[in-house]
Amino acid sequence: MFEGRPDRDAEVVLVGRSNVGKSTLMRELTGHAVATGGKPGVTRQPNHYDWAAEDFVLTDLPGFGFMSGVEEERREQIKTDVVRYVEEYAEHILVGVLVVDGKSVIDIIDRHSGPDSIPYDVEMFHFLRDLGIPTVVAVNKMDKVDDRDERLDDLCDRLGLHPPWKQWQDTIAPICAKRGSIDPLTEAVRTHLHEAARDDLFKFF
């Protein structure tokens, strides 16, 4: 199980597969350098970024799913630890941000869909929502996507949200973290913080 969570009441978590750009997004949100690498699975423990004077922590949880060079048992352990962490702190988590790769997410979901399997991304989306955590899907790397609206509509469809995606702007946030274009995400997060009566945390987003 992960160790060392700061003693903070309010939390926003980033979850998602390896290599979708969570750590890059974390760096963009915090202005704080986070270890990133071309190799999947660089983040093995949560990265907590807590602002000392505030009762708030932003957490980048380790990536789950396939990682080249990482044995399956270890991958499953990471996923289990992520799930346990979210369950344990669910009542403190004001927003869960599920980061996906806009270019590959549909293919990945379709490849892992079957009568007896649910793709990780879809499973994690429903898991967060079932725990009552307001969830935003940060669809990253959108600069590499040509058929933007169609891709986002397809993603809504896979997640069980009725397209068009534009009616879900507090849930679906197309971004490009590497280029610093993350406004749709920060706006969606603020919507949920406002609903939780935590406008005081807007300055972090």
Side-chain angles (χ1 to χ4, degrees):
M1 186 60 182
F2 302 136
E3 303 293 332
R5 179 186 183 273
D7 183 18
R8 295 285 189 271
D9 210 39
E11 182 168 12
V12 170
V13 297
L14 306 184
V15 297
R17 288 177 176 277
S18 300
N19 262 21
V20 293
K22 289 192 309 304
S23 300
T24 305
L25 176 56
M26 184 81 162
R27 193 171 56 210
E28 197 55 44
L29 286 168
T30 62
H32 188 74
V34 177
T36 62
K39 250 176 70 180
V42 169
T43 311
R44 294 293 177 89
Q45 284 285 329
N47 281 318
H48 299 288
Y49 194 70
D50 58 326
W51 286 265
E54 301 283 343
D55 182 23
F56 173 65
V57 60
L58 178 66
T59 301
D60 173 24
L61 289 168
F64 51 80
F66 177 75
M67 295 171 248
S68 63
V70 180
E71 63 280 8
E72 188 176 355
E73 193 178 326
R74 174 80 190 126
R75 294 200 305 258
E76 283 304 313
Q77 186 59 51
I78 291 171
K79 188 180 167 219
T80 301
D81 287 347
V82 167
V83 164
R84 282 196 190 136
Y85 182 95
V86 173
E87 280 181 331
E88 184 170 349
Y89 298 111
E91 65 192 68
H92 300 286
I93 299 174
L94 300 176
V95 188
V97 179
L98 172 61
V99 188
V100 300
D101 180 332
K103 193 167 167 56
S104 61
V105 65
I106 303 298
D107 293 341
I108 290 173
I109 287 176
D110 289 352
R111 196 180 318 141
H112 293 278
S113 294
D116 46 7
S117 66
I118 302 173
Y120 283 157
D121 306 273
V122 176
E123 187 178 28
M124 188 58 71
F125 177 72
H126 291 293
F127 171 68
L128 290 165
R129 285 167 56 117
D130 288 348
L131 286 172
I133 297 170
T135 305
V136 179
V137 182
V139 192
N140 197 18
K141 308 186 186 181
M142 286 303 287
D143 55 317
K144 298 179 178 164
V145 173
D146 302 327
D147 50 346
R148 181 186 170 95
D149 285 342
E150 191 182 326
R151 184 70 53 97
L152 294 168
D153 285 351
D154 285 348
L155 179 58
C156 282
D157 181 59
R158 303 303 190 275
L159 294 173
L161 305 171
H162 293 295
W165 75 272
K166 286 191 170 149
Q167 64 183 327
W168 300 105
Q169 293 194 35
D170 58 351
T171 306
I172 302 289
I175 63 168
C176 177
K178 204 172 242 182
R179 293 186 174 181
S181 41
I182 60 169
D183 286 356
L185 173 63
T186 54
E187 283 167 31
V189 169
R190 284 176 168 210
T191 299
H192 297 299
L193 292 176
H194 178 68
E195 285 165 1
R198 292 302 304 258
D199 291 18
D200 58 305
L201 299 178
F202 279 14
K203 58 181 172 286
F204 302 123
F205 292 98

